[in-house]
Amino acid sequence: MDILKDLNERQREAVEWVQSPVLILSGPGSGKTRVITYRIAYLIKELGVDPFNILAVTFTNKAADEMKERVYRLLTAETGKRGNGETGKVSEMPWIATFHSTCARILRHDIYRIGFDRNFVIYDDLDQLNLIKECLKELEIDPKEYRAPAFAAAICRAKENLIDYESYIIYTKARGEDFYREMAAKVYEHYQKKLFKNNALDFDDLIMKTVELFREKPEVLEKYQERFIHILVDEYQDTNHSQYAFTKLLASKYKNICVVGDEDQAIYAFRSADIRNILEFEKDYADCKPEVFVLNMMEDYRSTQPIIDLANNLIVYNEERRKDKGKIILPKDKKPASSTSTVDAEEASEGKVPAPVLQALPNELEEAEYVMDEARRLHRKERIPYHDMAVFYRVNAQSRVLEDAFRKARIPYNVVGALGFYEHREIKDIVAYLRVLINPKDSLSLKRIMNVPPRGIGKVTVQKIVDFSNKNKITLWEGVKKIENVRGLSPRAQWLVKNFRNLMFKYMELAKNLGVGELINKLIKEIGYIKQLEKEDTFTSEMRIENLKELMDAAHQFEEKSENKSAQVFLEDVSLISDIDTWDDKAKAVTLMTLHNAKGLEFDTVFIAGMEEGFLPHSNAFSEEKELEEERRLCYVGITRAKRHLYLTYTDRRRLYGNTYWGLASRFIAETGVEGLARRSLGVGGEAAPIFRRERFKVGVTIIHPDFGKGKIIKAEGFGEDRKIEVVFAGGEKKKIALKYANLQRI
DNA sequence: GTCACCGTATGATTG
DNA sequence: ATACGGTGAC
Ligand SMILES: Nc1ncnc2c1ncn2[C@@H]1O[C@H](COP(=O)(O)OP(=O)(O)OP(=O)(O)O)[C@@H](O)[C@H]1O
């Protein structure tokens, strides 16, 4: 069977094993994603499984598209033996998507069973934040004292763990005195009720409501269990509890499940991902007859030996890591595709296999310059295409200087993330129009557009309609419809709202028959959005016009490629798009992205910029050992993306957000042992930052001050001599202390 | 009442 | 750099 010829023996076994659940817990580059892809093709082609009965879950839409494409190619490949007719055409493709879009599609069909409308809208995190701000206003909570993003985080964490607001309130009470949590509970409840009124779901609801649906309506669950007889999940180490519950429910009937992941690459604990899901997978299926098939592969087909060494050296510093996990190794059977088979240090130094490079730079500008220069050199001298190079960093804001350097040098580049296309204000405005047309209950979006572009309906008028609607227990849109009954409006204001109402009536009609593309075109023209922007005539307004044009193109393209051309489906696509999804990996350009976005990808050349204490590891992770280990895994993920060329750079001093950060080289640098390997380590004499040594005075540490006595560190910043800490002393008073001047003792 | 402008505060990682 | 709240002109 020749689709299996691209696999090694153990991969092949995993592809062919269908007698019981499969767990693949394997290192980077070991071919996990490849196994899933081939397994899907194998199920269809060799076992005659109906593609309709297969669900594969990926981490991003982009990964889903790629997998679809590969599966399609495997299915249509000329096999000589079998094949679905001479055209090799595939009649149907399996369902390959992210958790979020999978759940969105399920809910679109069946959510009415738990009391929601099927035409719900999906709120992204900006919408979520705006709605929470509204809640704070209505609950009379001062948003300066209690920040909205903190509530958003609390609510997300709760939902990721399937805790609805009722349970949240109960847990809060059980905990006793916790003012902040009590407040969060109130906000959560209010927020959730508002979502319901708006007929909206946020991202986390998509999963949570699906689980709720499955639990409350067994016949719905059964329907999907019969539909998804074979389930495959990629990147399983980064699933959270709700995703775990979803998967487990679906798989519980047939138990044809295959999960794949690597706990050393778990980097999403901050949004409740839990590696126990993958580590305890065997327990979940302990009663299966042949027991769970477990595969632990550590052969890394991606990287060269020196890169593998760095990764191995680094990851053992994670103390919570399973001691029996082992190291990744170069596969014996690896074909000399682009690199040589086995390599020793001597060969590496001769330049057959490039040695990883560690480079210190005085500041972030020179760092960017250096990265750009090296990229250009590799392109010219070694003929490495730009699209096979990437620059990774910890925080989006770091991309700016890099962009500038690449732009100035006229080297093509793409930035993944930062502000995604669909997060731009002008795009969100138009999307809000569409949402209201489809789901008039969406008051958040309605409020957003009532005066966009400015049409004389100001804050006060809107507030009056809101009050009127609340008093009469109707939605804001109902309030707008009954504008004649709203008291205290000037005739002019009433007239303006009536015009707006008529506009919306007209477009609600049009939306029934027109495709999204045409609808958006007409709408933008009629409301004079572009005219308004032209009037503003600034640099940003020009960009906005471009973006709007791009949106119209996107909508037309959508119409062409999709069967269901409704604005509804378009909106769904738009809401679920992620940063990485819009990245064009075939463009001839260097890719700039965060380490998080790099997961699952591979490049010939990888630069990791900003390898400094405070950035990688990020300063917010200093105080928790667990978080520090996650930062280390992040670094591990970055390193293991590189096939042949790896550069680690760090600076002495970095300007960001108008501040200057004086950094030490990241502890991870020393841990990788790159200094011993690198050809040009510490190139810039004297300007290199010293390599990090562990700070003794960390948050949480108890100290004794010669004057004030015993106290606990609650805040710490700076390094070495310059370190400043904030301490709460036994009496309760807080003091800021510079280590330089105080003779502190650690206890 | 509405809108455009200016000052101030404030920044991780994401589907 | 962007998101807010306050201010003055219409
Ligand atoms: N048996 C094999 N023979 C040759 N190349 C392979 C084999 N298996 C995998 N590869 C190659 O190794 C690289 C990594 O494969 P893949 O992305 O499937 O690994 P992965 O385990 O999912 O990686 P990661 O966890 O790091 O994202 C790919 O370029 C793939 O083509």
Side-chain angles (χ1 to χ4, degrees):
Chain A
M1 153 67 194
D2 57 0
I3 65 168
L4 297 180
K5 74 174 190 303
D6 305 331
L7 302 172
N8 69 31
E9 210 167 302
R10 302 211 294 152
Q11 292 171 333
R12 200 176 309 145
E13 268 181 78
V15 165
E16 290 177 313
W17 183 269
V18 289
Q19 290 87 327
S20 68
V22 175
L23 165 65
I24 303 178
L25 199 52
S26 301
S30 59
K32 299 183 292 295
T33 305
R34 181 181 277 223
V35 167
I36 291 219
T37 311
Y38 279 71
R39 192 177 160 92
I40 296 169
Y42 177 81
L43 288 172
I44 297 169
K45 223 169 173 176
E46 291 303 308
L47 302 186
V49 171
D50 188 343
F52 188 77
N53 292 131
I54 297 174
L55 168 67
V57 182
T58 58
F59 201 71
T60 62
N61 296 302
K62 171 113 196 139
D65 288 344
E66 247 157 50
M67 193 176 285
K68 270 186 229 164
E69 202 183 300
R70 295 224 183 109
V71 168
Y72 181 84
R73 258 190 271 139
L74 289 174
L75 291 179
T76 51
E78 212 55 63
T79 61
K81 290 179 202 157
R82 210 179 212 263
N84 312 358
E86 54 287 347
T87 51
K89 220 175 157 156
V90 182
S91 55
E92 205 176 354
M93 280 292 286
W95 183 326
I96 303 176
T98 62
F99 278 108
H100 293 270
S101 62
T102 300
C103 290
R105 279 163 75 179
I106 291 173
L107 292 175
R108 205 51 88 189
H109 274 275
D110 295 296
I111 197 170
Y112 69 95
R113 308 286 310 265
I114 53 170
F116 276 77
D117 270 10
R118 288 181 48 190
N119 59 348
F120 63 84
V121 295
I122 300 166
Y123 280 177
D124 64 23
D125 40 7
L126 252 97
D127 302 318
Q128 178 184 49
L129 207 60
N130 286 332
L131 195 62
I132 288 174
K133 281 178 189 160
E134 260 186 33
C135 292
L136 296 188
K137 221 179 266 163
E138 286 165 19
L139 294 170
E140 295 180 340
I141 295 170
D142 180 6
K144 280 203 184 100
E145 204 170 341
Y146 299 93
R147 320 247 324 111
F151 290 116
I155 292 170
C156 288
R157 297 302 84 81
K159 289 184 176 183
E160 284 151 3
N161 289 296
L162 296 175
I163 299 166
D164 55 22
Y165 72 84
E166 289 98 335
S167 315
Y168 195 87
I169 291 168
I170 293 168
Y171 292 150
T172 303
K173 288 217 176 94
R175 252 178 198 229
E177 222 42 25
D178 185 341
F179 188 64
Y180 184 77
R181 239 195 100 108
E182 279 164 33
M183 186 109 64
K186 269 188 218 141
V187 175
Y188 188 4
E189 176 175 10
H190 198 69
Y191 168 73
Q192 204 56 32
K193 288 184 171 161
K194 262 178 119 64
L195 277 176
F196 186 74
K197 279 189 204 148
N198 288 355
N199 195 28
L201 300 181
D202 63 26
F203 273 137
D204 298 304
D205 278 339
L206 292 174
I207 321 272
M208 184 156 122
K209 291 289 169 200
T210 307
V211 172
E212 191 182 317
L213 173 71
F214 283 173
R215 284 183 177 164
E216 283 176 22
K217 306 289 169 192
E219 61 291 3
V220 177
L221 173 60
E222 173 138 13
K223 178 171 103 182
Y224 285 101
Q225 286 172 333
E226 291 299 335
R227 160 93 203 247
F228 299 127
I229 295 174
H230 293 271
I231 297 166
L232 306 97
V233 187
D234 201 359
E235 308 279 12
Y236 194 66
Q237 78 281 359
D238 272 321
T239 51
N240 61 37
H241 181 66
S242 66
Q243 294 162 335
Y244 163 81
F246 169 82
T247 311
K248 195 161 176 226
L249 281 166
L250 266 188
S252 63
K253 182 156 188 186
Y254 289 105
K255 302 192 162 91
N256 290 319
I257 179 167
C258 169
V259 301
V260 149
D262 176 8
E263 75 268 36
D264 288 335
Q265 295 184 62
I267 52 175
Y268 282 93
F270 73 90
R271 52 176 218 209
S272 308
D274 189 344
I275 57 167
R276 280 179 305 179
N277 292 341
I278 194 163
L279 296 182
E280 293 173 13
F281 180 83
E282 283 177 84
K283 275 193 206 152
D284 289 335
Y285 298 92
D287 54 348
C288 286
K289 255 193 244 145
E291 50 191 40
V292 173
F293 182 98
V294 183
L295 186 55
N296 186 343
M297 301 182 290
M298 292 306 258
E299 292 87 3
D300 179 355
Y301 283 91
R302 179 180 298 131
S303 307
T304 59
Q305 188 65 51
I307 294 170
I308 290 175
D309 289 340
L310 254 55
N312 280 328
N313 293 341
L314 174 69
I315 200 67
V316 293
Y317 281 87
N318 271 356
E319 283 173 22
E320 287 193 27
R321 184 175 189 258
R322 265 169 48 218
K323 294 290 173 279
D324 59 350
K325 177 75 193 275
K327 295 180 167 192
I328 47 173
I329 55 166
L330 207 65
K332 290 189 201 66
D333 66 327
K334 183 163 175 178
K335 302 201 187 81
S338 53
S339 54
T340 35
S341 53
T342 41
V343 184
D344 53 49
E346 204 180 358
E347 261 183 301
S349 62
E350 278 167 14
K352 272 189 189 161
V353 170
V357 175
L358 172 69
Q359 182 65 53
L361 286 312
N363 60 49
E364 83 286 357
L365 294 167
E366 300 203 28
E367 180 186 49
E369 198 73 9
Y370 171 78
V371 168
M372 177 277 291
D373 241 19
E374 275 303 297
R376 186 164 54 192
R377 192 184 65 78
L378 288 173
H379 180 67
R380 287 186 181 158
K381 297 262 160 64
E382 315 218 2
R383 301 264 142 239
I384 294 164
Y386 281 130
H387 71 257
D388 216 0
M389 300 185 195
V391 189
F392 304 150
Y393 36 81
R394 180 66 235 264
V395 299
N396 281 310
Q398 287 173 259
S399 74
R400 260 219 133 64
V401 261
L402 292 160
E403 285 179 64
D404 289 343
F406 279 102
R407 196 174 27 241
K408 267 190 223 142
R410 298 177 180 278
I411 294 173
Y413 69 92
N414 274 322
V415 188
V416 174
L419 235 201
F421 179 68
Y422 288 98
E423 280 158 353
H424 283 106
R425 189 150 52 96
E426 62 282 8
I427 305 299
K428 291 216 66 168
D429 286 340
I430 300 304
V431 165
Y433 269 99
L434 294 182
R435 284 177 175 175
V436 176
L437 296 180
I438 288 165
N439 171 32
K441 286 187 192 168
D442 183 353
S443 306
L444 187 77
S445 299
L446 180 57
K447 223 181 271 178
R448 180 186 184 106
I449 59 171
M450 257 204 256
N451 199 33
V452 170
R455 49 167 76 90
I457 306 175
K459 262 192 194 146
V460 181
T461 305
V462 172
Q463 195 52 47
K464 278 179 184 156
I465 310 174
V466 168
D467 292 342
F468 170 82
S469 311
N470 287 343
K471 215 185 298 156
N472 293 286
K473 301 220 181 323
I474 55 176
T475 65
L476 183 59
W477 171 242
E478 299 289 331
V480 170
K481 283 209 278 192
K482 297 196 171 113
I483 190 68
E484 285 87 351
N485 301 344
V486 180
R487 287 163 185 278
L489 285 183
S490 66
R492 180 184 147 77
Q494 200 185 78
W495 179 74
L496 288 165
V497 176
K498 270 192 208 161
N499 282 350
F500 171 71
R501 181 181 66 186
N502 291 339
L503 175 85
M504 295 309 281
F505 278 150
K506 177 174 162 192
Y507 277 88
M508 283 174 182
E509 265 323 296
L510 284 173
K512 286 180 191 156
N513 304 312
L514 244 45
V516 234
E518 205 46 41
L519 188 71
I520 292 179
N521 271 356
K522 257 185 138 64
L523 183 74
I524 290 178
K525 208 172 269 159
E526 176 141 2
I527 62 180
Y529 204 143
I530 289 187
K531 274 210 196 87
Q532 160 76 20
L533 288 170
E534 276 167 355
K535 211 169 64 196
E536 279 177 32
D537 193 30
T538 61
F539 183 71
T540 41
S541 69
E542 238 169 84
M543 294 258 300
R544 297 209 154 121
I545 293 170
E546 284 311 303
N547 285 336
L548 285 172
K549 287 186 177 149
E550 211 175 302
L551 176 71
M552 293 191 253
D553 285 347
H556 277 113
Q557 269 173 33
F558 166 84
E559 275 192 58
E560 270 163 40
K561 77 166 178 34
S562 102
E563 289 155 40
N564 189 334
K565 302 179 189 325
S566 68
Q568 166 96 260
V569 181
F570 178 69
L571 270 188
E572 187 146 320
D573 264 25
V574 165
S575 317
L576 296 175
I577 274 174
S578 71
D579 293 335
I580 191 87
D581 298 338
T582 53
W583 171 57
D584 178 7
D585 57 346
K586 287 167 192 81
K588 297 187 190 327
V590 179
T591 303
L592 276 50
M593 65 174 116
T594 61
L595 285 157
H596 280 92
N597 272 319
K599 164 157 152 159
L601 306 175
E602 58 185 25
F603 299 89
D604 174 89
T605 304
V606 164
F607 297 89
I608 304 181
M611 291 279 302
E612 291 131 51
E613 287 292 313
F615 286 90
L616 186 65
H618 195 273
S619 50
N620 292 1
F622 284 166
S623 55
E624 287 284 337
E625 199 57 35
K626 268 201 160 57
E627 291 184 33
L628 244 135
E629 299 209 344
E630 182 147 313
E631 297 288 307
R632 193 173 281 111
R633 289 193 292 271
L634 201 49
C635 187
Y636 181 75
V637 168
I639 290 173
T640 55
R641 300 307 94 196
K643 289 194 237 172
R644 303 202 48 171
H645 295 97
L646 175 67
Y647 292 82
L648 308 180
T649 62
Y650 66 100
T651 64
D652 194 25
R653 145 172 62 89
R654 175 179 300 277
R655 281 187 69 79
L656 203 72
Y657 319 121
N659 297 324
T660 303
Y661 298 85
W662 296 83
L664 290 165
S666 169
R667 69 193 73 186
F668 299 154
I669 291 176
E671 291 171 3
T672 60
V674 69
E675 296 153 282
L677 265 168
R679 256 180 301 160
R680 281 169 285 172
S681 77
L682 301 170
V684 192
E687 290 178 295
I691 303 273
F692 174 81
R693 288 171 308 279
R694 237 163 237 256
E695 287 292 342
R696 281 162 36 80
F697 296 97
K698 295 195 285 193
V699 174
V701 167
T702 309
I703 53 105
I704 293 188
H705 189 278
D707 300 329
F708 309 116
K710 217 162 141 180
K712 201 168 179 167
I713 301 177
I714 53 169
K715 240 192 208 162
E717 57 186 35
F719 303 95
E721 284 266 275
D722 295 327
R723 196 164 173 82
K724 292 186 187 72
I725 56 174
E726 199 172 325
V727 180
V728 186
F729 287 99
E733 78 268 50
K734 289 181 195 167
K735 285 232 151 41
K736 290 204 171 97
I737 295 168
L739 287 190
K740 220 189 298 193
Y741 306 113
N743 181 15
L744 297 184
Q745 267 198 317
R746 228 183 103 131
I747 52 171

